[in-house]
Amino acid sequence: MTHFTHIKMCDLHIYSYPSIFIYGHRASGKSHVMHVLLKELELPHATVSCVECVSVALLFEQVLLSFFGCDAASLLPRSPSLSDFVRIYRQQCSQSPAKQTRYIVMEKAELLRDTDANLLPALLRLQELVEDNVTIILLSEIVWDKFRPNTGCFEPLLLHFPDYSKGELQQILSQDRHPSYTAEFYSSYINILLGVFYSVCRDLRELRHLAALNFSKFCEPLAEGKVKETDTHKLWRNIEPHLKKAMQTVYLREVSSLQWEQMQQMEEKESGALRGLSAHTHVELPYYSKFLLIAAYLASYNPARTDKRFFLKVDRFNFTPKNLLNHLLGPKPFPLDRLLAIFYSVVDNRVAPTASIFSQISSLVTLQLLTQVSHDDQLDAPKYKCAVSMDFICAISRTVNFDIVKYLYDFL
Amino acid sequence: MSKRKLTDAHLPVGECITQVQEILRERLCCQKLPDRPEGVEAQHKHLLELLKRTAVHGESNSVLIVGPRGAGKTMLLKCVLRDLLEDKEVQKNLLQVHLNGLLQTDDRIALKEITRQLHLENAVGDKVFGSFAENLAFLLEALKKGDRSSSRPVLFVLDEFDLFAHHKNQTLLYNLFDVSQSAQAPIAVVGITCRLDVLELLEKRVKSRFSHRQIHLLSSLTFPQYLERVRTQLSLPDDFPDGKFAEDWNASVKTLCEDKSVEDVLQRHFNSSKDARSMHMLLMFCLSRVSVSRPAIKPADLLEASRLCFADAKANMLHGLSILELCLIIAMKHLNDVYEGEPFNLQMVHNEFKKFLQRKSNSMYNFDQPVIMKAFEHLQQLELIRPVDSSSAKIQREYQLMRLMIDHSQIMEALQKYPQCPTDVKQWAMSAFG
């Protein structure tokens, strides 16, 4: 791997630079190379994931444990400060000095910025503070410029882990091949997979996951005897719609991997009922709730001055179409009165303003289809915002035979 | 002039290289103290005088060493201490307390540390003191010599001095300076800080007790001196075991520094920052390429090291984005151009992208809104875009306003290097009006 040559520069057992910052995209091999290197060369190291260290005590404990054993770690007082850590480290390393450079590897180092302001600058200078041959290696996907404290700090050596090219991704993914199929067969599968997903996602982990999930479907026609291994066109035709569907569901984590696998085993006809997380088009609302929601959508996306034009029963004027400005900016808040006014205007039959109508508004808020913008104690003039998307409201309006597009200002 | 001791010992190349690495790394990485101060002779003399007056004559003093990061403040202090401690009397009597603003974040912790460093834990025991001043007075009292006539001189070194000024009421600083002004005990307070405006941070009562003595370390290096410094940093000392190897090495370093391309590179570094630390980083990159198969530093190594030092991190990250994410960034760039830097949300970016697809694209096709949302969120995780305000409670994700944290020129540079970038995307990026 080309990355080895980059790292090799700083790995000697003599004094190393006090801190090194390695950045690169996710799944570009940073932790992997680090671990392999430290293990192969058998260097004393402590690996800390900053996600696990909710408090600094966990970080200190882990470091002392890895270098000096659990006796040293138990010397830490309750809620230790950085001062305690440095003191204990100094005591311990005067008893057992480092014969080789000790490495502390911190993954997801961007979380260090959210801890105390003194932790990051102190860690960068740890070699100087404890007077020991120790090097801190920070791994992150955020660039160093976003880490630098206000008054500056000891600048670490910056190393970039480049991302994999398409060819390299293909090579790496082809290594997971199933033993009962040939390498060419698997690499043609990977080729097709990359063709669909490469323009959207280049994360190695995601691609491996998708490759593993969809391989059985790819091999299905082969198992059924319909096609031969070399019949790439037919195989492609079989798998391509399936991969497109995967992009809308599994890739977005709308369905879990388990659901996806189950779905693949079901018959074609049944598989249409794949329920995604955000597919709440199956939410069945009462009749008036639907109209309330439509009215809320109109109130959010039409400017108030245009209500007169839409909701009085008069002829409409002819206007030139505007651009989708209101739809780009997001929903606007509206008072309850306006909602009710529009509601009475769009509902066909006469509706009495009973408590059941108002309670339906509250339940829409609970379902998070409406959001309440005003404060809870403003009882007489509450304000709401509509929180549903265009597709959703079009689906709802279709079920009640209401042409919402005619009433939207942006679509005149 | 010391004579070069040419030994006849001839070590194998591997051994030589290891020795070279050891010596040079000690110099570059862990800041080995130079034998003589270079370029800071006046400051060295001043500080040495001051500390001698405290250590030998029992006079209390306070001083601040001020200079930008990497200027050599701590190194100066260490050199002065080393020279000071050559005197036997001083070595016997002087007590040192080293505090660091990054570690001692609280006055209480600082006091414990002082007690510990003066080895007075037993004397203090379980006593409870009413105030900081009492505690400090007790400590200094306890340092009095056996005949109770005078106290031993104590040197307080406060690293990251400006952080101490953020403690509550600045009690530690107040008390230390108070003691240095009154005749209680001979102490010297040396503060080291990178902030030039450190005196503004002190309260009035603290500032009045400070002697206003400042030693500034502002580098006045010229380029020839800088070049010379590079050469000396890379050269091997006279006592290197293999004399022939050392000679060859030093000769190659000399030719390296005379090379024109190397001089240009060093000029560029000198123009961006003169301090020793960034020079050491550059030399460290060069040094790491030295191995048995390449036993000397070549100009190409230095050029490569310079390229690594000046690499644009964000452009490197842009290189690894998927083509969809790159298109979203180009759409954001166009929005910024048209609306002059106003924040945008996902809907606007998607709209802009759709306009591109309708008009100009033949290689990209439209994706669903959730897929675009995922790409957008990935960009947010990489902190290439940032929300305008953090109150994301009441706003839907698609409508949350964001700003782009990348410059126009960085995007164009990244596009040049992007592997297999479709031409219509490139042309879209370069066109003036989305």
Side-chain angles (χ1 to χ4, degrees):
Chain A
M1 287 230 276
T2 52
H3 308 304
F4 266 109
T5 48
H6 284 284
I7 284 294
K8 199 166 179 289
M9 48 170 88
C10 306
D11 73 347
L12 291 189
H13 50 275
I14 317 165
Y15 266 94
S16 193
Y17 211 74
S19 44
I20 302 175
F21 183 81
I22 301 180
Y23 67 100
H25 280 276
R26 284 185 230 160
S28 56
K30 307 184 289 292
S31 314
H32 178 70
V33 170
M34 217 52 252
H35 287 140
V36 165
L37 204 58
L38 289 172
K39 222 172 19 185
E40 294 271 312
L41 299 172
E42 289 174 12
L43 299 166
H45 65 277
T47 315
V48 178
S49 171
C50 296
V51 180
E52 294 173 355
C53 296
V54 274
S55 76
V56 285
L58 294 167
L59 164 65
F60 299 152
E61 233 178 83
Q62 180 73 12
V63 172
L64 288 175
L65 189 66
S66 307
F67 289 153
F68 304 113
C70 39
D71 304 323
S74 57
L75 287 174
L76 276 174
R78 252 165 169 253
S79 50
S81 63
L82 192 53
S83 183
D84 295 320
F85 170 65
V86 168
R87 180 175 46 89
I88 296 178
Y89 192 111
R90 283 176 91 128
Q91 274 172 7
Q92 293 295 320
C93 80
S94 59
Q95 291 166 11
S96 46
K99 294 180 281 284
Q100 291 181 319
T101 311
R102 294 185 170 126
Y103 291 94
I104 303 179
V105 179
M106 305 189 74
E107 296 174 11
K108 289 252 180 286
E110 59 264 19
L111 297 170
L112 282 177
R113 301 177 295 175
D114 305 327
T115 56
D116 301 324
N118 64 331
L119 186 62
L120 183 61
L123 283 176
L124 291 169
R125 297 181 164 266
L126 197 65
Q127 191 182 76
E128 190 186 312
L129 292 174
V130 301
E131 287 168 6
D132 185 35
N133 189 357
V134 61
T135 294
I136 298 260
I137 302 184
L138 300 170
L139 305 174
S140 175
E141 58 170 359
I142 313 268
V143 298
W144 174 248
D145 305 316
K146 300 199 187 267
F147 278 75
R148 204 176 277 127
N150 278 336
T151 47
C153 61
F154 187 93
E155 295 280 321
L157 270 183
L158 299 177
L159 286 178
H160 174 59
F161 256 67
D163 44 281
Y164 294 118
S165 67
K166 192 166 182 186
E168 286 170 348
L169 275 178
Q170 180 129 8
Q171 244 183 335
I172 298 173
L173 288 169
S174 304
Q175 285 177 6
D176 303 319
R177 69 183 189 85
H178 207 267
S180 41
Y181 296 98
T182 60
E184 294 86 42
F185 180 67
Y186 197 76
S187 49
S188 65
Y189 166 59
I190 293 293
N191 225 353
I192 296 173
L193 184 82
L194 282 179
V196 175
F197 281 101
Y198 186 69
S199 52
V200 169
C201 162
R202 289 168 60 170
D203 186 344
L204 181 60
R205 279 191 209 120
E206 291 248 27
L207 291 171
R208 279 182 83 178
H209 184 63
L210 288 165
L213 280 182
N214 294 303
F215 188 58
S216 51
K217 183 77 182 179
F218 185 71
C219 301
E220 219 179 56
L222 204 70
E224 288 168 4
K226 288 191 209 151
V227 294
K228 298 191 297 292
E229 271 198 14
T230 47
D231 229 338
T232 36
H233 185 69
K234 284 208 185 119
L235 287 167
W236 179 80
R237 264 216 320 231
N238 174 51
I239 194 74
E240 205 225 358
H242 193 78
L243 287 178
K244 285 249 157 61
K245 191 133 185 251
M247 197 191 291
Q248 292 162 352
T249 50
V250 159
Y251 174 63
L252 299 170
R253 306 291 189 274
E254 288 272 317
V255 300
S256 70
S257 317
L258 186 62
Q259 273 178 298
W260 184 252
E261 280 173 350
Q262 284 169 353
M263 188 223 91
Q264 288 183 76
Q265 272 140 28
M266 290 192 305
E267 287 292 322
E268 280 290 322
K269 312 178 271 295
E270 297 169 19
S271 66
L274 192 63
R275 304 257 196 106
L277 281 175
S278 62
H280 46 259
T281 44
H282 62 274
V283 165
E284 270 307 314
L285 292 170
Y287 185 70
Y288 285 145
S289 285
K290 288 186 189 170
F291 275 104
L292 278 169
L293 194 59
I294 290 171
Y297 192 84
L298 292 171
S300 273
Y301 286 97
N302 283 347
R305 57 189 163 82
T306 58
D307 282 352
K308 216 164 46 164
R309 186 200 310 152
F310 287 115
F311 302 112
L312 294 184
K313 309 283 187 205
V314 290
D315 292 321
R316 229 166 303 162
F317 314 125
N318 257 341
F319 282 89
T320 50
K322 310 261 189 295
N323 57 5
L324 292 166
L325 192 57
N326 291 316
H327 274 80
L328 292 180
L329 290 175
K332 304 256 182 337
F334 52 85
L336 180 64
D337 303 337
R338 189 169 163 223
L339 171 65
L340 290 175
I342 299 180
F343 172 66
Y344 289 131
S345 148
V346 296
V347 154
D348 350 354
N349 37 14
R350 292 179 59 80
V351 180
T354 58
S356 64
I357 299 289
F358 291 108
S359 66
Q360 286 184 29
I361 297 179
S362 305
S363 32
L364 283 177
V365 174
T366 319
L367 285 172
Q368 296 191 344
L369 298 171
L370 293 184
T371 33
Q372 184 161 356
V373 175
S374 64
H375 213 257
D376 274 335
D377 43 349
Q378 266 179 307
L379 288 176
D380 51 344
K383 283 196 169 177
Y384 300 97
K385 243 188 334 191
C386 186
V388 299
S389 66
M390 180 78 182
D391 303 323
F392 187 79
I393 203 71
C394 285
I396 295 264
S397 357
R398 265 198 294 273
T399 66
V400 289
N401 281 332
F402 182 80
D403 185 4
I404 190 164
V405 178
K406 270 199 308 195
Y407 286 83
L408 281 171
Y409 184 65
D410 283 338
F411 290 94
L412 276 184
Chain B
M1 283 303 255
S2 59
K3 272 192 67 179
R4 183 80 56 78
K5 297 189 203 77
L6 273 177
T7 55
D8 287 331
H10 213 69
L11 296 170
V13 179
E15 183 61 32
C16 285
I17 295 289
T18 319
Q19 288 272 4
V20 168
Q21 288 275 4
E22 199 169 326
I23 294 173
L24 290 184
R25 270 171 193 248
E26 220 179 342
R27 233 183 248 163
L28 297 177
C29 294
C30 63
Q31 326 289 351
K32 186 159 168 294
L33 295 182
D35 295 324
R36 289 178 321 277
E38 290 168 4
V40 289
E41 286 88 357
Q43 289 97 330
H44 182 101
K45 204 158 138 236
H46 185 179
L47 191 59
L48 187 58
E49 270 301 309
L50 211 65
L51 293 185
K52 244 197 197 125
R53 292 217 293 265
T54 305
V56 176
H57 306 296
E59 195 186 294
S60 286
N61 274 315
S62 50
V63 66
L64 276 182
I65 306 179
V66 179
R69 296 252 175 220
K73 310 181 285 291
T74 316
M75 192 185 289
L76 171 70
L77 182 67
K78 286 200 187 137
C79 281
V80 168
L81 283 179
R82 182 190 57 192
D83 293 340
L84 190 67
L85 292 174
E86 280 169 2
D87 188 343
K88 282 286 187 301
E89 272 296 313
V90 171
Q91 207 175 33
K92 220 172 36 157
N93 279 338
L94 183 69
L95 291 168
Q96 295 181 39
V97 173
H98 290 264
L99 300 175
N100 191 314
L102 290 173
L103 300 178
Q104 278 83 46
T105 46
D106 202 337
D107 286 335
R108 200 178 36 87
I109 302 178
L111 199 54
K112 273 214 226 117
E113 191 59 30
I114 295 175
T115 317
R116 208 170 278 131
Q117 291 195 20
L118 292 175
H119 306 293
L120 290 174
E121 287 110 320
N122 291 331
V124 168
D126 284 327
K127 279 204 182 55
V128 170
F129 294 99
S131 74
F132 192 99
E134 267 181 48
N135 198 339
L136 192 60
F138 178 81
L139 290 176
L140 293 174
E141 189 63 31
L143 291 176
K144 283 205 159 83
K145 288 201 276 211
D147 56 356
R148 298 251 163 223
S149 58
S150 59
S151 186
R152 291 168 68 179
V154 186
L155 169 64
F156 285 93
V157 176
L158 299 168
D159 230 327
E160 311 283 344
F161 183 82
D162 46 295
L163 293 178
F164 284 105
H166 292 305
H167 292 181
K168 184 157 174 283
N169 287 341
Q170 300 181 355
T171 27
L172 175 69
L173 295 182
Y174 175 73
N175 284 297
L176 282 180
F177 286 142
D178 198 34
V179 171
S180 77
Q181 291 283 20
S182 60
Q184 283 180 41
I187 69 168
V189 181
V190 180
I192 305 180
T193 177
C194 63
R195 288 185 65 160
L196 291 178
D197 63 341
V198 62
L199 285 183
E200 314 292 323
L201 296 171
L202 298 178
E203 279 181 23
K204 202 161 74 107
R205 56 182 187 144
V206 179
K207 208 189 323 197
S208 62
R209 284 168 172 76
F210 173 53
S211 68
H212 286 257
R213 213 178 270 118
Q214 291 185 46
I215 298 180
H216 289 277
L217 286 176
L218 300 168
S219 170
S220 57
L221 226 50
T222 60
F223 184 60
Q225 287 173 332
Y226 185 81
L227 263 185
E228 183 58 27
R229 192 76 67 88
V230 169
R231 198 188 61 78
T232 42
Q233 292 283 355
L234 285 177
S235 302
L236 292 174
D238 295 342
D239 54 0
F240 194 74
D242 187 347
K244 179 80 178 58
F245 184 86
E247 227 183 279
D248 293 336
W249 175 272
N250 289 344
S252 79
V253 166
K254 194 153 181 298
T255 38
L256 181 77
C257 292
E258 285 163 2
D259 184 288
K260 187 72 182 60
S261 61
V262 167
E263 220 177 282
D264 289 337
V265 163
L266 289 175
Q267 176 80 57
R268 195 167 166 215
H269 275 265
F270 176 73
N271 288 340
S272 54
S273 107
K274 290 191 211 178
D275 64 86
R277 214 173 262 168
S278 41
M279 186 211 301
H280 286 174
M281 204 188 296
L282 178 68
L283 297 181
M284 186 65 206
F285 275 123
C286 298
L287 186 65
S288 48
R289 289 181 184 278
V290 170
S291 65
V292 178
S293 48
R294 314 166 62 161
I297 301 183
K298 300 265 179 318
D301 293 337
L302 203 72
L303 287 163
E304 177 64 23
S306 173
R307 196 187 60 81
L308 280 176
C309 281
F310 282 131
D312 184 1
K314 278 191 188 153
N316 282 339
M317 293 304 278
L318 282 177
H319 188 271
L321 292 179
S322 67
I323 191 74
L324 174 64
E325 289 156 358
L326 195 66
C327 286
L328 290 182
I329 295 218
I330 298 173
M332 290 176 211
K333 176 185 97 75
H334 282 298
L335 282 174
N336 272 344
D337 290 338
V338 172
Y339 295 108
E340 283 168 10
E342 287 288 315
F344 49 78
N345 60 29
L346 172 66
Q347 286 289 101
M348 295 185 205
V349 176
H350 194 183
N351 201 35
E352 193 69 30
F353 180 54
K354 277 201 276 221
K355 286 203 287 203
F356 161 64
L357 290 175
Q358 278 164 9
R359 279 187 289 167
K360 297 193 202 171
S361 160
N362 34 21
S363 63
M364 297 287 299
Y365 60 96
N366 198 6
F367 295 96
D368 292 334
Q369 171 94 340
V371 176
I372 306 246
M373 183 82 216
K374 185 160 175 170
F376 199 72
E377 280 177 347
H378 184 218
L379 291 175
Q380 194 176 351
Q381 271 163 353
L382 289 174
E383 295 195 7
L384 294 173
I385 54 179
R386 271 178 66 164
V388 167
D389 53 22
S390 45
S391 63
S392 53
K394 303 274 174 117
I395 315 180
Q396 287 167 273
R397 283 180 320 172
E398 309 69 279
Y399 296 110
Q400 172 122 48
L401 289 175
M402 309 268 188
R403 278 195 203 279
L404 185 63
M405 306 305 289
I406 319 179
D407 204 23
H408 183 106
S409 54
Q410 281 172 315
I411 301 177
M412 299 319 277
E413 190 193 313
L415 269 176
Q416 298 304 322
K417 299 207 198 110
Y418 194 80
Q420 297 158 348
C421 183
T423 34
D424 49 354
V425 171
K426 258 198 206 150
Q427 278 173 352
W428 177 41
M430 293 197 247
S431 67
F433 300 100

